[in-house]
Every structure is written in C-alpha cells, then in structure tokens.
Amino acid sequence: MEVLADFFAQYGDLLLQEAWNTILMTVISTFFAYVIGLPLGVALVVTSPKGLRPHRVVNAILGWIVNIGRSFPFIILLVVIIPFTRLLVGTSLGVAGAIVPLTVSAAPFVGRMVEQSLSEVDAGLIEAAQSFGASTWQIVWKVYLREGVSSLIRGVSIAYITIFGYAAMAGAVGAGGLGDLAIRYGYQRYIGSVMVAAVVICIIWVQLFQSIGDYAARKIDKRR
Amino acid sequence: MIEIEHLNKTFTARSGVHHALSDINLRIEDGDVFGIIGQSGAGKSTLVRCINMLEQPTSGTVRIDGADITGYRGRQLLGLRSRIGMIFQNFSLFQQRTVLNNVTFPLELSREGRGGKNATREGREARAKELLELVGLADHADRYPSELSGGQQQRVAIARALANEPSIMLCDEATSALDTRTTVSILNLLRDINKNLGVTMVLITHSLAVARMVCNRIAVIDEGRIVEEGSTEQVFSNPQSAVTRELLHFDSLTQVQADEERAGN
Ligand SMILES: Nc1ncnc2c1ncn2[C@@H]1O[C@H](COP(=O)(O)OP(=O)(O)OP(=O)(O)O)[C@@H](O)[C@H]1O
Ligand SMILES: [Mg+2]
C-alpha cells in the first residue's frame, strides 16, 4: 500500500497530465477525422455504381485517395507531414502537433468505415424513400445516416481505438501523452513501474471507450 | 389515368442485353384496382417502377393524367413521386423511426408544402395520427416497426404511402410475405382505400386468388410482354393465354390443398 502511495505521490501528477494529453489528442483527432471522413464515406456510397448518383470518375478518385491514405505507413506520414503540420498549427510537437498527422492518417480509414456502415443500410429503404420523392440529400440525412446510426457508432469506437494506438506511436516523435511517457520512462530510463502504470491506464481507457461505444450502439438501435 | 404506350425496358449486363419489358401497352383508369400478374422474373416490378420512374424506360411513353412523365427530371420528378404512394413486399419501414415518424416521413420531404399544415412537426404528426387511425393502428404510434407483426407493419406502410394524399398507389407484392388471414385483411383495407378515398391501385401479385379478390381489371405479363388483359371476370371465365391457364390451374391446386387441409382439421 505504502509503495503504491509513494509511487503516486511521485508520478501521479505526471501520469494524470499525460493521460489528459493523450485523451485530448485522440478525441480531437477522432473528431476531425470524422469531419473529413464522414463526407468522404457518404460521397463514396452516393457515387458508387449502385448509388444515388453514380459517378465513375469521382468514385474512382475518392477510392484512390482513401487507398493511398490507408496504405501510407503512419510512422512515415508522421515525419513527411511535419512541414504541413507546422504550417497548420505552428508546431510539430505536443498535442497540437499530433492532431494533424493523426487526423490525416485516420480520415481515409474513417471514410471506409462510414462507407461500410452506410452500405449495410437496406437497399429497400433507399428505394422506399425515393418512391416518396426524397432528394439525394434527404436520403443521405434521413435514411443513410439515421438508419445506419448504430453501425456508425460502432465504427466510432473502432476508429477511436485505432487512433489511440497511433497516438502512442506519435509519442515517439515528441507528441507527448502516455505512449511517450511509457517509452521515456520504461525504455530509456528503465523505470518499469511508470511504463506499467501508463499501459494500465491505456488499457482501462480503451476498454471503457469500447464498452460505452457498444452500449450506445445497442441502446440507440431499435431493431430486434 | 395512367396510359402506357409502346413501353420498352432493356437492361444491359455483361452477359448481354436483357429485354425486361417489350412493347407494353396499358390503360389504367381512375379508380381502378388494376392487377398485374405473372411469374417471377416476368417484369412486373420493372413495369410498375416505370410508373413512378424509379426505373427509366428505354423507350415509349408513360402518361399520368395526360402528362408524359418519361422526360421528368429533378424537382418535377420528385414532385411526381410524392403524389404516387408505394408499398412493398417486405414493408420497407424505417427501423430507427417510430411508427408515427414512419408515417410523417413523406410529409417531411414536401417542398411546396412549406407554408402548409405539414410545415410544423405538430401538423405532420396530427396528419400521421389520422392515417394510423384509418389503418387501425392509432395505439401503436410510439412503437418501433420491429415490435409489430408483418400485417401491422404493412398497415403502417399503407398509412405512410397515403400521407401525401396520392391519387395512385403502387403495391408490389404487398401481401406475398403475409399469411392468408392477414392477406385478406390487408386486401380489404386496400379495397376500402380505393372505394372511400378514390385512390387508383396498381397491384402486383403472382396469386390469381389475390387478384380475384380485389381487382376489377387484370393484365397478365410473361417474359416482358402483356399476354392477356381484361376485366377480372373475363380473365377468369375465359382465359386466352397459356400462361393464364397455367396460373389458374396452379391456383385451383392450392385451393384444393387449402380445402383439404381445412377438411383435415
Ligand atoms: N437492375 C436490373 N439489372 C438487370 N436486370 C434486371 C434489373 N432489374 C430487373 N432485371 C431483370 O428483369 C427481369 C424482370 O424483373 P422484375 O423484377 O421486373 O420481375 P418480377 O416480375 O417483378 O419478378 P418477381 O415476381 O420475382 O418479383 C428479370 O429477369 C430480372 O432479372
Ligand atoms: Mg418483383
């Protein structure tokens, strides 16, 4: 008990601070990844050959962008994108510096997830909406996004946890956060206890997020 | 009145060109309950989908109340569709909306109605409640479709299709997923709607028994062609085509079977 008290007296603030940094950068990155990825996913579905507004060229270009973005190794993107990150937020370090590469790397992934969720929506519902004279926009808002909501929420947990994993990597190049802390103390200074504590916090947080996501997805779904 | 002239529809697939509809000519009068009958793959759905332009005809004309709709695009097309109700084999209700909000759906879309009583949520819900009353589901307004039986779900779909006061209602195998008793009750409801509200019904079915119960006119379609058309009595008493006779024969078989089952019980 005393050991634990000592440990938290010494490292508690640090852990708390870095945990907060991690949560901040991952939540904000997830938000912006959806700001880009949600319209991207919608556009992929709408312009697909069987979509509401089929458009081969647009669909192919979007598909390409997504595939290139997804196949780009994150650790390389992190470095390559530094000038752009500086331009956008003034620094490539800290929470602000991490948000840009995290968002850029997650947006294409989110786009695919959204596309997947929306394409699961029963085609019969799209047809029914069309038969009542719904416009493309109305079908996107009132049918795709609304009927696909449960699957979209599940997608948010997956996207968030993926971004969380990337954020630990971003820690290696000065983004801060729990990943950075674990590496600095555990790997470079051999203070294993801090590393273990950082990892435990990560696990608990990811579990919590997943459970909340699952619960929300189940709660909101009115199908049986 | 719906007038279909020299209507053709072809689908081009990798395997080649498929003639789903070949030179269809039909005239459906106001107030008709018009049955379109045929085997699976005959082209029934394709034909009916040409009436609200969910399917773009390859050639020919479809006129509704004298206006050729085959050239309609954009707003004009959406406006046309909003005046034609449609119901489907598997109901196609929005699972994440309550029964009430399924019925308000078509009302939320209307562009011209912005200033009218459908402009407010209260107005739309009041109208939806009237319609649920009409189909006998007023006390299920706040339920979700997954909590209803098939027959109840189809009633909701009928209420939804009636929301914009259509003059035409298209029914694509509306009773095919339902048991006998529920089928009869849905058909009775459709007939009441036809009688009381004067809605013209175009009813697809592959069951002659269903057609016989509610239709005043019938067209039989086979491999994309109309092989027979006439009043219901005419078609039943004096079938002209082999396809119709085949359907009749099958129908009498199932009738016999049903009778035997009833006798057995
Ligand atoms: N989008 C499409 N692309 C290619 N072929 C199609 C398409 N829609 C329909 N068809 C073909 O056209 C023919 C008629 O189809 P349709 O759906 O109108 O038949 P149906 O009479 O409604 O059959 P069912 O009773 O099974 O619903 C079928 O051979 C079908 O394969
Ligand atoms: Mg069909």
Side-chain angles (χ1 to χ4, degrees):
Chain A
M1 255 359 262
E2 225 168 277
V3 183
L4 222 56
D6 276 356
F7 176 79
F8 279 112
Q10 197 176 354
Y11 297 110
D13 285 352
L14 185 67
L15 280 166
L16 215 63
Q17 179 59 44
E18 294 304 333
W20 174 243
N21 281 342
T22 295
I23 290 172
L24 208 59
M25 76 174 90
T26 50
V27 168
I28 295 174
S29 301
T30 306
F31 174 77
F32 283 115
Y34 269 87
V35 168
I36 301 168
L38 191 65
L40 191 60
V42 168
L44 279 166
V45 171
V46 170
T47 60
S48 75
K50 299 212 157 187
L52 293 168
R53 296 274 180 95
H55 198 301
R56 267 236 304 283
V57 178
V58 171
N59 193 256
I61 291 172
L62 292 179
W64 264 69
I65 293 173
V66 165
N67 288 342
I68 290 171
R70 288 195 60 193
S71 52
F72 214 101
F74 179 66
I75 202 86
I76 296 172
L77 178 91
L78 208 52
V79 180
V80 173
I81 209 174
I82 285 177
F84 178 67
T85 307
R86 288 218 179 99
L87 189 75
L88 217 60
V89 293
T91 175
S92 65
L93 300 174
V95 172
I99 288 171
V100 177
L102 285 174
T103 301
V104 169
S105 76
F109 172 67
V110 168
R112 274 286 181 240
M113 299 252 292
V114 170
E115 180 194 22
Q116 176 64 35
S117 292
L118 301 189
S119 56
E120 284 166 15
V121 172
D122 180 3
L125 300 183
I126 309 299
E127 184 173 303
Q130 279 180 307
S131 82
F132 297 120
S135 67
T136 303
W137 275 115
Q138 287 173 327
I139 293 175
V140 167
W141 282 115
K142 289 174 180 288
V143 185
Y144 272 127
L145 294 178
R146 184 129 176 214
E147 294 296 312
V149 66
S150 177
S151 173
L152 285 169
I153 289 175
R154 277 178 222 283
V156 173
S157 342
I158 295 172
Y160 177 78
I161 291 165
T162 306
I163 287 172
F164 193 92
Y166 284 170
M169 266 196 268
V173 294
L178 288 173
D180 178 40
L181 191 71
I183 289 173
R184 267 192 290 136
Y185 280 77
Y187 188 69
Q188 287 160 3
R189 293 207 226 156
Y190 304 108
I191 307 179
S193 54
V194 175
M195 186 178 76
V196 170
V199 171
V200 168
I201 295 173
C202 287
I203 292 172
I204 292 173
W205 176 243
V206 165
Q207 282 295 341
L208 194 70
F209 200 94
Q210 179 78 63
S211 307
I212 294 171
D214 285 349
Y215 177 78
R218 227 176 322 114
K219 195 76 189 163
I220 209 160
D221 196 355
K222 305 301 180 192
R223 289 170 298 185
R224 284 294 168 278
Chain B
M1 189 169 52
I2 307 167
E3 295 160 288
I4 298 171
E5 281 170 16
H6 304 299
L7 185 73
N8 287 282
K9 176 69 189 179
T10 56
F11 290 110
T12 320
R14 261 190 222 101
S15 52
V17 178
H18 178 75
H19 290 266
L21 298 175
S22 306
D23 195 31
I24 303 280
N25 294 284
L26 278 182
R27 194 181 155 97
I28 301 172
E29 302 287 345
D30 287 344
D32 270 354
V33 179
F34 197 98
I36 295 175
I37 303 172
Q39 311 277 15
S40 187
K44 305 182 295 292
S45 295
T46 308
L47 174 56
V48 159
R49 287 158 56 86
C50 285
I51 297 175
N52 62 358
M53 297 284 285
L54 282 178
E55 210 75 76
Q56 179 80 44
T58 308
S59 66
T61 57
V62 178
R63 276 198 296 274
I64 294 180
D65 297 332
D68 182 3
I69 61 162
T70 49
Y72 280 16
R73 297 289 181 278
R75 285 275 158 96
Q76 209 178 15
L77 180 58
L78 300 185
L80 167 84
R81 286 179 182 162
S82 72
R83 295 189 300 273
I84 300 176
M86 192 165 187
I87 58 174
F88 307 86
Q89 178 169 358
N90 38 21
F91 325 129
S92 292
L93 294 179
F94 302 113
Q95 300 293 308
Q96 309 295 354
R97 285 172 169 255
T98 60
V99 163
L100 188 72
N101 288 326
N102 264 279
V103 183
T104 59
F105 181 88
L107 302 172
E108 294 168 22
L109 309 173
S110 62
R111 277 145 285 265
E112 56 266 47
R114 287 254 182 271
K117 61 186 188 313
N118 293 337
T120 64
R121 169 185 277 258
E122 290 73 29
R124 290 193 295 267
E125 294 191 344
R127 166 85 181 127
K129 284 196 178 119
E130 282 171 26
L131 290 158
L132 287 174
E133 197 88 49
L134 178 77
V135 300
L137 285 176
D139 50 343
H140 290 62
D142 296 325
R143 299 251 210 123
Y144 285 90
S146 60
E147 300 166 337
L148 304 185
S149 71
Q152 290 173 325
Q153 290 190 53
Q154 196 61 292
R155 284 170 182 270
V156 177
I158 290 168
R160 182 177 65 173
L162 289 174
N164 275 320
E165 300 176 45
S167 53
I168 298 168
M169 193 153 137
L170 310 175
C171 313
D172 192 348
E173 311 222 14
T175 58
S176 300
L178 305 173
D179 64 32
T180 328
R181 189 178 298 172
T182 316
T183 294
V184 171
S185 82
I186 292 291
L187 292 177
N188 282 332
L189 177 61
L190 292 176
R191 193 161 48 189
D192 288 348
I193 289 164
N194 168 259
K195 286 230 173 67
N196 302 336
L197 306 177
V199 179
T200 305
M201 300 269 171
V202 182
L203 202 141
I204 295 180
T205 176
H206 46 233
S207 153
L208 277 177
V210 165
R212 183 177 228 163
M213 236 195 94
V214 286
C215 299
N216 63 321
R217 292 187 70 79
I218 290 177
V220 181
I221 180 169
D222 187 50
E223 294 185 349
R225 294 177 187 279
I226 303 282
V227 293
E228 175 142 11
E229 200 218 323
S231 74
T232 305
E233 304 87 70
Q234 233 175 332
V235 171
F236 273 91
S237 57
N238 187 16
Q240 299 298 308
S241 79
V243 184
T244 315
R245 282 193 289 271
E246 194 183 332
L247 283 165
L248 270 173
H249 179 63
F250 182 72
D251 234 50
S252 60
L253 278 183
T254 50
Q255 192 54 50
V256 168
Q257 204 171 22
D259 289 344
E260 277 171 358
E261 269 169 29
R262 220 170 296 131
N265 286 341

